[in-house]
Amino acid sequence: MSGATLITCLFVFVLSSFVGFELINKVPPTLHTPLMSGANAISGIAVLGAILVSGSEDLTLSVILGFVAVVLATINVVGGFLVTDRMLLMFKKKEVKA
Amino acid sequence: MNIDEFLPSGIQLSYLVAASLFILGLKKLGSPATARQGNQSAAIGMLLAVVATMLDRQVLSYEVILIGIAIGSAIGAIAAYKVEMTAMPQMVGIFNGLGGAASALVAIAEFWRVLNAGEFLSVTSLVTILLGILIGGITLTGSFVAFAKLQGIMPGAPIQFPLQQVFNAIILIGFLAGSGYFLFVPGNLPVFFGLVGVSLLLGILFVIPIGGGDMPVVISLLNSYSGLAAAAAGFVVNNNMLIIAGALVGASGIILTNVMCKGMNRSLANVLFAAFGSEAAASGSSAAGQSLGTMKSIDSEEGAMMLGYARSIAIVPGYGMAVAQAQHAVRELADQLESMGVEVKYAIHPVAGRMPGHMNVLLAEANVPYTQLYDMEDINPQFDQTDVALVIGANDVVNPAARHDKGSPIYGMPILEVDKAKHTIVIKRGMGTGFSGVQNELFFQDKTMMLFGSAKDVVAQLAAEVKQL
């Protein structure tokens, strides 16, 4: 990695952090748990890195580690989004009388 | 322009769209009406990013990836549908750990690939790899210890040993020294794997001295770390998408950590290093065991009369209610009272559950409409116009000593001011103290009535009695 790429990456990181702070500061406490599990699902973004390292044609240690990373990150992503959806379905404005 | 030229730009543009979907999704998660849609846009963004990554030139073989995704999706989906809402903190804890592990593995795998390809490893690359392993490793083992404490596999009490802080500091210095050496001799594998091991050990050492009751803070903080780990992995493989998403999650975790700390009036450093909850009794005028007068106990019939003839009541649920699985019974009682014209509100303290916003989810599961849930700042000015405050399984968060008793360990903690209501009914299992080990002076006040018993049974009796009024 060259110095210039590193600087670009740092720019992206710092500016995104500010966006994150602005976005989440306004979320009401009622939604903090779904917010956390939704954000948790997004942190499974490491799956992209895992795909990149496990896409090689030769079966090396890198590919095996990448495969494990794909499995773990996918559990994080799929489980995170689904459980968040399940929770948000429960939030209703008015009671539905059975 | 042929396809080989278009592909890299196409992938980057897809990432831009995916990142925008994440940001829009998080924005929509800020309001109950649009939250579900927000979560879905984030999920679509993720799908788009995954598909785009598959088209990368570096990806030559798909079998391994597709098998991995299939296994991960199946496990994730089963976990998401099976988990109990009371177990959400543990679930998020485990998922944090998996995300951290994936990020650390990406860093290790990339290091291995570059090393074996004989490519040059610059100092910046090595530093990003080490950061990815350190943050990912701490997130992995830290989350699993937090999970074990919440699940009751490990004792919730802080685990301490002599010279703990010194020992931790030495381990950390060891990691830094090893990293320094590694930067000059990147091919030294024993040092490399030693550094991986130390990262994992640091995660365990970081969480064991923290008490079970403080786990919500730890979970929020590890949520932030899992984001930072993903961002570090993004630096390693030079991928903007990972950096953006990781930074967003890192920021959200820090905000939620801050919210939890404020709810308990403690600094993050105090939560992490003070081993709160290890000493049973506290000094001060209201220490445990010291009598503050007599409690007035009533039965459910009298309780029902007070509730049924009130104009407005505020229900204050604590984690004790969730442990007793009394949410549904509480909602039935509230329905009954509402049909008699009583105005019912729920007062939610920021640390009422086991993670930020946990109590709201538990009540939503019992079909309580979110419009009836009031945050602490909104409900506190309304207590003096409330006829009855019904406290169910909450203790420290309603202790008036937090306002005036400087000697109390919970002094300064923001509380729900139920003592300002005209009457207070407290449903409680026994005479014991709360998490902080402090006796609650609310229970001894003249206008406070105690209703002893399991929350579920007592609330069901109240509902039956109210029906007969």
Side-chain angles (χ1 to χ4, degrees), chain B residues 458-469:
Chain B
V458 173
V459 173
Q461 283 164 20
L462 280 175
E465 298 281 357
V466 166
K467 210 175 250 178
Q468 287 173 16
L469 288 178

Side-chain angles (χ1 to χ4, degrees), chain A residues 1-3 5-6 8-10 12-14 16-57 59-63 65-97, chain B residues 22-23 26-27 29-32 35-36 39-40 42-43 46 49-50 53 56 58-61 64-65 68-69 72-73 75-77 80-81 83 85 88 95-96 98-99 101-103 105-106 108-110 112-113 122 124-125 219-220 223 226 228 230-231 235 238 240-245 247-249 251-252 255-256 331 335 355-358 360-361 364-365 367 369-371 375:
Chain A
M1 185 190 267
S2 70
T5 344
L6 179 71
T8 316
C9 287
L10 276 175
V12 172
F13 177 74
V14 173
S16 307
S17 300
F18 277 106
V19 173
F21 279 120
E22 283 304 311
L23 280 174
I24 283 126
N25 244 335
K26 295 172 197 131
V27 177
T30 301
L31 287 168
H32 277 168
T33 293
L35 171 73
M36 203 156 140
S37 75
N40 185 237
I42 293 179
S43 76
I45 190 76
V47 71
L48 302 193
I51 290 174
L52 289 176
V53 291
S54 57
S56 160
E57 269 172 337
L59 195 69
T60 60
L61 180 67
S62 289
V63 174
L65 292 176
F67 169 74
V68 178
V70 169
V71 174
L72 299 183
T74 312
I75 296 176
N76 190 181
V77 169
V78 173
F81 280 126
L82 286 178
V83 83
T84 308
D85 192 61
R86 202 183 128 200
M87 263 190 278
L88 290 172
L89 259 180
M90 294 170 186
F91 281 86
K92 291 185 201 85
K93 203 166 192 169
K94 291 230 170 65
E95 235 166 292
V96 186
K97 297 268 181 204
Chain B
F22 283 169
I23 292 172
L26 284 171
K27 193 172 161 59
L29 267 171
S31 148
R36 194 165 172 236
N39 183 52
Q40 285 162 354
M46 184 64 81
V50 167
T53 308
D56 193 286
Q58 201 181 324
V59 180
L60 303 167
S61 146
V64 172
I65 297 170
I69 289 181
S73 303
I75 299 175
Y81 285 108
V83 66
M85 284 300 136
M88 271 313 292
F95 281 177
N96 278 338
L98 298 182
S103 302
L105 284 171
V106 168
I108 297 173
E110 177 68 8
W112 198 261
R113 188 188 68 77
S122 67
T124 43
S125 302
I219 297 272
S220 310
N223 188 229
S226 74
L228 295 179
F235 278 90
N238 198 1
N240 278 336
M241 191 67 220
L242 261 72
I243 299 174
I244 295 171
L248 291 174
V249 178
S252 88
I255 289 177
L256 293 176
R331 208 252 319 162
D335 279 356
M355 69 187 283
H358 193 198
N360 306 69
V361 172
E365 191 188 17
N367 281 323
Y370 65 78
T371 43
D375 300 333

Side-chain angles (χ1 to χ4, degrees), chain B residues 214-240:
Chain B
D214 284 340
M215 282 304 124
V217 179
V218 177
I219 297 272
S220 310
L221 190 64
L222 288 168
N223 188 229
S224 174
Y225 284 5
S226 74
L228 295 179
F235 278 90
V236 173
V237 295
N238 198 1
N239 183 313
N240 278 336

Side-chain angles (χ1 to χ4, degrees), chain B residues 2-304:
Chain B
N2 66 33
I3 186 80
D4 273 352
E5 283 169 30
F6 174 73
L7 213 48
S9 325
I11 292 172
Q12 291 303 320
L13 287 174
S14 309
Y15 283 170
L16 188 58
V17 175
S20 310
L21 284 169
F22 283 169
I23 292 172
L24 278 176
L26 284 171
K27 193 172 161 59
K28 284 184 180 169
L29 267 171
S31 148
T34 55
R36 194 165 172 236
Q37 214 187 333
N39 183 52
Q40 285 162 354
S41 5
I44 293 169
M46 184 64 81
L47 184 66
L48 179 66
V50 167
V51 172
T53 308
M54 297 273 224
L55 300 175
D56 193 286
R57 231 177 273 156
Q58 201 181 324
V59 180
L60 303 167
S61 146
Y62 291 97
E63 290 92 340
V64 172
I65 297 170
L66 290 176
I67 294 170
I69 289 181
I71 296 174
S73 303
I75 299 175
I78 293 169
Y81 285 108
K82 291 265 163 161
V83 66
E84 300 277 342
M85 284 300 136
T86 40
M88 271 313 292
Q90 289 97 303
M91 171 98 160
V92 171
I94 280 276
F95 281 177
N96 278 338
L98 298 182
S103 302
L105 284 171
V106 168
I108 297 173
E110 177 68 8
F111 167 73
W112 198 261
R113 188 188 68 77
V114 174
L115 192 70
N116 284 322
E119 287 170 34
F120 172 69
L121 278 159
S122 67
V123 172
T124 43
S125 302
L126 289 170
V127 169
T128 57
I129 287 169
L130 286 174
L131 263 181
I133 292 171
L134 177 67
I135 306 174
I138 289 178
T139 312
L140 168 65
T141 50
S143 299
F144 278 77
V145 174
F147 167 82
K149 286 201 174 201
L150 286 167
Q151 189 74 25
I153 302 171
M154 252 174 85
I159 297 174
Q160 288 172 291
F161 51 86
L163 296 177
Q164 194 161 13
Q165 309 287 13
V166 179
F167 181 73
N168 292 353
I170 291 172
I171 298 274
L172 191 62
I173 291 167
F175 183 87
L176 293 176
S179 304
Y181 178 78
F182 182 70
L183 291 183
F184 293 102
V185 197
N188 190 324
L189 291 180
V191 172
F192 177 74
F193 288 112
L195 290 172
V196 174
V198 169
S199 307
L200 296 173
L201 183 63
L202 275 172
I204 299 174
L205 291 171
F206 156 59
V207 181
I208 53 167
I210 304 173
D214 284 340
M215 282 304 124
V217 179
V218 177
I219 297 272
S220 310
L221 190 64
L222 288 168
N223 188 229
S224 174
Y225 284 5
S226 74
L228 295 179
F235 278 90
V236 173
V237 295
N238 198 1
N239 183 313
N240 278 336
M241 191 67 220
L242 261 72
I243 299 174
I244 295 171
L248 291 174
V249 178
S252 88
I254 288 173
I255 289 177
L256 293 176
T257 308
N258 205 9
V259 167
M260 293 304 276
C261 286
K262 267 192 196 148
M264 301 192 289
N265 187 40
R266 291 167 55 203
S267 69
L268 184 57
N270 180 278
V271 171
L272 297 184
F273 305 116
F276 200 71
S278 57
E279 290 146 56
S283 55
S285 62
S286 56
Q290 210 173 313
S291 180
L292 296 168
T294 43
M295 297 189 193
K296 271 195 294 295
S297 163
I298 54 169
D299 62 17
S300 54
E301 197 185 335
E302 291 170 79

Side-chain angles (χ1 to χ4, degrees), chain B residues 342-353:
Chain B
V342 183
E343 190 193 2
V344 179
K345 287 173 181 169
Y346 293 83
I348 315 284
H349 192 273
V351 294

